[in-house]
Amino acid sequence: MALEKLGTEIRREQIVEAALSLIAAQGVRRLSVAALARRVGLVPSALYRHFKSKQEILDAAVQLVQRRGLDNLKEVCASTPNALERLKLLLMRVIKMIRELQAMPRIVFSEGVSADHPERKRQAYVILTGFLSAIEGIMREGQERGEVRTDLDAKTLAVMFWGMLPPVVILWHMSDGAFDVTRQAERSWELFSEAIRAR
Amino acid sequence: MALEKLGTEIRREQIVEAALSLIAAQGVRRLSVAALARRVGLVPSALYRHFKSKQEILDAAVQLVQRRGLDNLKEVCASTPNALERLKLLLMRVIKMIRELQAMPRIVFSEGVSADHPERKRQAYVILTGFLSAIEGIMREGQERGEVRTDLDAKTLAVMFWGMLPPVVILWHMSDGAFDVTRQAERSWELFSEAIRAR
DNA sequence: ACCCTATGTGAATATCTATTCACATTTTGC
DNA sequence: GCAAAATGTGAATAGATATTCACATAGGGT
């Protein structure tokens, strides 16, 4: 018996937060409606009052993570016009986010969320390429402003910038948080920024 | 009814190859004993004559992938003493492997295989860090031979080298093979090698 | 206060999956 | 050739999971 009845807005939030929390602890694969309900303090069937299906819950969790990612991007671009500064800030923001919102890496890398359904996969691809386009935009601006080398392909650079994250994320997870993501990110950034800085 | 009875060695091979094939097509999560059996041309219960459990089949598949990865590493180190040459060869080898053995990226990134079981996760970590150590070793040799800058941390470089792969892999998968992994890998390598080459 | 809607419950259901088990058949070794 | 072992089958089982459904209750609006 739930302690009280709550409106659907509040419950939906609780459910999504519970999902993120459980995903962080156990991964997407082991996320069950039963565990979710327990976490929120309801019975499993109650969740269907607020979401049509388990997949809808997952979708909502993905969107939340995505929104936070985009927020980071916006804040970073608003804080400085310098391309390299932006990129560094963004990198550090994302690293921070990985540490705090631990479900994020699991969601991003999980095939349970997107990769086994054509439409969702396409959507995820659109989101990812959108992110890469934004990075690419920063690179181009940097090139126009004389901050970034112009003899390098901005798109390639965007992908490489992104490439600083997965190894860090994976090692962090596999080592149960023992791997020093911040240091690795900083060092990677140093080398990368030195390599792409205009001369 | 199977066309013929085959010894366990042959069947085991067939089953593991079937696993890799299905994982490539559908991912680890959707790999079922029933689909595996169908693929091999047996009934599901027959698989238990050759493997104790589904997890054992998965473990065997992981080991196969791993072995091929190590083979690549050995061959590369045997083919040239030059560190940067080795690394480039290795990168291209892995890219080739990704294209041919499509199950590999799915296995590597899947939490269905390792991340939700402490012992397996640790094992995967040991394997991964072993791979990174080998790369690190190549970097150090390169530094000793005057091929690679000595002012950079070999460990960091190893992780960054590895970082060239995941974005490529992910984009390749999400775009259903449309993303040009080879070109991205080559460009990444050019920038990376230029950045770390001794001056 | 009353009625309707929103929310929660508990039981049932359907589906899927991995695995066991008893029987059948083929293969191997003596 | 015979017996034992290896391999394959089909039915059954157990477990887990997502979801539906009918009933109950709380909350909000009139």
Side-chain angles (χ1 to χ4, degrees):
Chain A
M1 179 68 86
L3 292 187
E4 55 177 335
K5 291 192 177 186
L6 295 172
T8 200
E9 293 258 348
I10 293 173
R11 283 291 188 219
R12 283 177 69 100
E13 271 190 39
Q14 287 181 341
I15 291 165
V16 172
E17 290 291 343
L20 291 178
S21 185
L22 286 170
I23 288 170
Q26 306 170 344
V28 173
R29 187 177 169 226
R30 287 171 62 191
L31 181 70
S32 65
V33 172
L36 267 178
R38 236 176 354 248
R39 186 82 183 200
V40 178
L42 300 172
V43 297
S45 52
L47 299 197
Y48 296 89
R49 295 293 183 198
H50 309 282
F51 288 95
K52 276 208 203 99
S53 64
K54 178 184 170 185
Q55 188 59 54
E56 244 199 43
I57 297 171
L58 281 177
D59 290 341
V62 169
Q63 279 174 34
L64 182 60
V65 167
Q66 197 195 149
R67 207 175 305 128
R68 293 190 190 177
L70 285 177
D71 287 348
N72 268 338
L73 205 47
K74 278 188 204 145
E75 285 169 27
V76 155
C77 288
S79 66
T80 176
N82 180 277
L84 291 179
E85 286 298 320
R86 277 178 180 176
L87 292 173
K88 182 175 182 187
L89 261 187
L90 181 61
L91 183 66
M92 293 306 153
R93 284 286 188 103
V94 174
I95 295 290
K96 183 163 179 286
M97 194 172 147
I98 286 166
R99 301 184 68 115
E100 292 177 352
L101 183 53
Q102 294 185 26
M104 183 188 98
R106 285 189 185 265
I107 287 176
V108 170
F109 287 111
S110 173
E111 64 188 48
V113 173
S114 60
D116 56 350
H117 187 282
E119 184 49 40
R120 272 196 201 90
K121 187 175 163 187
R122 190 175 305 116
Q123 192 190 10
Y125 185 52
V126 168
I127 291 162
L128 178 58
T129 50
F131 178 73
L132 287 175
S133 290
I135 307 289
E136 192 183 327
I138 296 175
M139 295 289 181
R140 285 198 200 285
E141 281 188 38
Q143 289 177 329
E144 283 159 21
R145 290 166 175 274
E147 296 158 7
V148 176
R149 284 166 59 177
T150 51
D151 58 317
L152 302 170
D153 181 43
K155 193 168 200 152
T156 299
L157 294 183
V159 175
M160 287 184 73
F161 175 82
W162 174 37
M164 286 191 268
L165 294 171
V168 156
V169 169
I170 293 169
L171 283 169
W172 187 69
H173 263 279
M174 284 182 152
S175 66
D176 293 312
F179 183 76
D180 191 337
V181 294
T182 307
R183 195 173 78 164
Q184 177 66 31
E186 283 171 348
R187 288 180 168 183
S188 299
W189 171 251
E190 277 165 29
L191 186 71
F192 182 72
S193 61
E194 181 195 316
I196 71 170
R197 192 175 284 117
R199 289 153 192 177
Chain B
M1 181 65 88
L3 292 185
E4 56 177 336
K5 292 195 178 188
L6 296 173
T8 200
E9 292 259 348
I10 293 172
R11 283 292 190 217
R12 283 177 68 100
E13 271 189 39
Q14 287 181 344
I15 292 165
V16 171
E17 291 292 342
L20 290 178
S21 185
L22 286 170
I23 288 171
Q26 305 169 344
V28 174
R29 186 175 169 227
R30 289 170 63 192
L31 181 71
S32 65
V33 172
L36 267 177
R38 236 176 351 250
R39 185 84 182 201
V40 178
L42 299 172
V43 295
S45 52
L47 300 197
Y48 296 87
R49 294 294 183 197
H50 307 283
F51 287 95
K52 274 207 204 97
S53 64
K54 179 185 170 184
Q55 188 59 55
E56 243 198 43
I57 296 172
L58 280 178
D59 289 342
V62 170
Q63 279 175 34
L64 182 60
V65 168
Q66 194 195 139
R67 206 176 306 128
R68 292 191 191 177
L70 284 177
D71 288 348
N72 267 340
L73 206 45
K74 279 188 202 144
E75 285 170 26
V76 157
C77 289
S79 68
T80 176
N82 182 275
L84 290 180
E85 286 298 321
R86 279 178 177 175
L87 291 173
K88 182 175 181 185
L89 262 186
L90 181 60
L91 183 66
M92 294 304 153
R93 284 285 188 104
V94 175
I95 295 290
K96 184 164 179 284
M97 195 172 148
I98 285 165
R99 300 185 70 116
E100 293 177 354
L101 183 55
Q102 295 183 25
M104 183 188 101
R106 284 188 185 267
I107 286 174
V108 170
F109 289 110
S110 172
E111 62 188 48
V113 173
S114 59
D116 56 350
H117 187 282
E119 184 48 41
R120 273 196 198 89
K121 187 174 163 186
R122 191 175 304 118
Q123 192 190 12
Y125 185 53
V126 167
I127 291 164
L128 178 59
T129 49
F131 177 72
L132 286 175
S133 290
I135 307 288
E136 192 184 327
I138 295 175
M139 295 288 179
R140 285 197 202 284
E141 280 188 38
Q143 289 177 329
E144 284 161 18
R145 289 165 175 276
E147 297 157 9
V148 176
R149 285 166 58 177
T150 52
D151 59 316
L152 302 170
D153 181 43
K155 193 168 200 152
T156 299
L157 294 183
V159 174
M160 287 183 73
F161 176 82
W162 175 37
M164 287 190 268
L165 295 171
V168 156
V169 170
I170 293 169
L171 284 169
W172 187 68
H173 263 277
M174 283 181 150
S175 66
D176 292 312
F179 183 76
D180 192 339
V181 293
T182 307
R183 197 174 77 165
Q184 177 66 32
E186 283 172 348
R187 287 180 170 186
S188 298
W189 170 252
E190 277 166 29
L191 186 69
F192 182 72
S193 61
E194 182 195 315
I196 70 169
R197 191 175 284 120
R199 290 155 190 174

